[in-house]
Amino acid sequence: MSNKVIWYGHATLGLETDGHKIVIDPFFNGNPATSISPEAVEADFILVSHGHFDHVGDAVAIAKRTDALVISNAEISGWFQKQGVKSHPQHLGGGYKHPFGYLKLTHALHGSGLPDGSNGGNPGGFLLTTNDSKKVYMAQDTGLFGDMKLIGEEGVDLAFLPIGDNFTMGPDDALRAVKMIQPKTVVPIHYNTFDVIEQDSHAWAARVEKETSVKVVVLNPGDSLDF
Ligand code: NI
Ligand code: MN
């Protein structure tokens, strides 16, 4: 079985696993980091971590065109259903066996208001166990929290952590997060999209690799990684 993930810039990821296409936080229109149009995106499933515009993004349009199932917290799932989009509600700490693997919603320290002002519940991240037992933690937007250690105890193969600062963890706290989670590989996300979250990801990678035994993969928007 092969697993592949593409970073589209910001917190937008495309995952291909066991023949399923999953898009996470599909922010294409208005995302300065990507030139890919949402009309070109194929998806069987769409994961939405929280209600902010740069994460809900083009999810409604992509879901309506592709008939993808949206997976998010109960409040956001209800918001999608009201717009005629199929959704599967979960909530923080709960996992479910989907065709592409076992997906658990994790805690995130952030906000979750939806673009139209609706209540988006609490923000989350994702811990996916693929059908071939690889563990992928997609923290999405969050500040540092001590329970990242509990996520690490599950044995994380690949982690996506924000390093942009201002809205999420910055480089210092993301380094502390790596030390708690101890993934085999970490990929920095949610930086350089906007001026206020500009960061030197290569300098961060050098610090992580000096202070830990974790491998850092710095992707450029559009790059993919097999795992
Ligand atoms: Ni956000
Ligand atoms: Mn964000």
Side-chain angles (χ1 to χ4, degrees):
M1 215 183 96
S2 71
N3 299 297
K4 178 178 160 178
V5 64
I6 300 175
W7 183 53
Y8 292 108
H10 205 54
T12 304
L13 298 164
L15 189 63
E16 291 180 28
T17 181
D18 206 10
H20 304 282
K21 287 182 162 50
I22 304 133
V23 183
I24 297 97
D25 289 348
F27 177 42
F28 295 95
N29 265 330
N31 179 351
T34 184
S35 55
I36 291 174
S37 125
E39 286 78 39
V41 176
E42 291 305 323
D44 303 310
F45 299 90
I46 299 170
L47 313 188
V48 177
S49 66
H50 66 288
H52 292 163
F53 77 97
D54 54 322
H55 298 261
V56 172
D58 307 291
V60 171
I62 295 171
K64 285 191 171 173
R65 180 176 51 78
T66 62
D67 206 31
L69 179 72
V70 172
I71 302 168
S72 191
N73 70 28
E75 291 83 359
I76 293 173
S77 293
W79 185 79
F80 276 99
Q81 276 167 21
K82 273 191 214 150
Q83 298 176 74
V85 171
K86 288 186 304 179
S87 67
H88 177 110
Q90 292 188 213
H91 232 304
L92 305 189
Y96 184 80
K97 178 78 182 72
H98 294 279
F100 57 85
Y102 182 78
L103 182 73
K104 188 152 82 173
L105 262 60
T106 59
H107 174 67
L109 200 57
H110 197 66
S112 188
L114 283 153
D116 64 2
S118 298
N119 172 21
N122 288 313
F126 302 104
L127 183 63
L128 171 66
T129 309
T130 62
N131 292 334
D132 62 348
S133 302
K134 296 273 169 50
K135 289 239 190 219
V136 185
Y137 174 44
M138 296 166 272
Q140 306 309 93
D141 287 14
T142 186
L144 181 70
F145 57 90
D147 286 354
M148 284 181 177
K149 188 171 180 296
L150 299 178
I151 294 169
E153 282 171 7
E154 296 207 24
V156 175
D157 293 290
L158 177 60
F160 293 87
L161 300 180
I163 67 161
D165 221 347
N166 194 70
F167 301 115
T168 68
M169 294 190 285
D172 292 349
D173 279 353
L175 172 58
R176 295 167 72 193
V178 170
K179 289 177 180 173
M180 278 196 274
I181 301 162
Q182 291 289 325
K184 290 198 183 92
T185 302
V186 65
V187 178
I189 61 169
H190 212 276
Y191 67 96
N192 286 2
T193 329
F194 311 114
D195 290 349
V196 290
I197 58 172
E198 254 174 42
Q199 297 296 341
D200 182 340
S201 52
H202 292 281
W204 183 75
R207 285 177 68 195
V208 173
E209 292 193 338
K210 182 164 174 261
E211 295 188 33
T212 74
S213 55
V214 175
K215 183 183 176 203
V216 185
V217 176
V218 173
L219 298 174
N220 292 310
D223 284 354
S224 64
L225 173 68
D226 294 310
F227 66 96

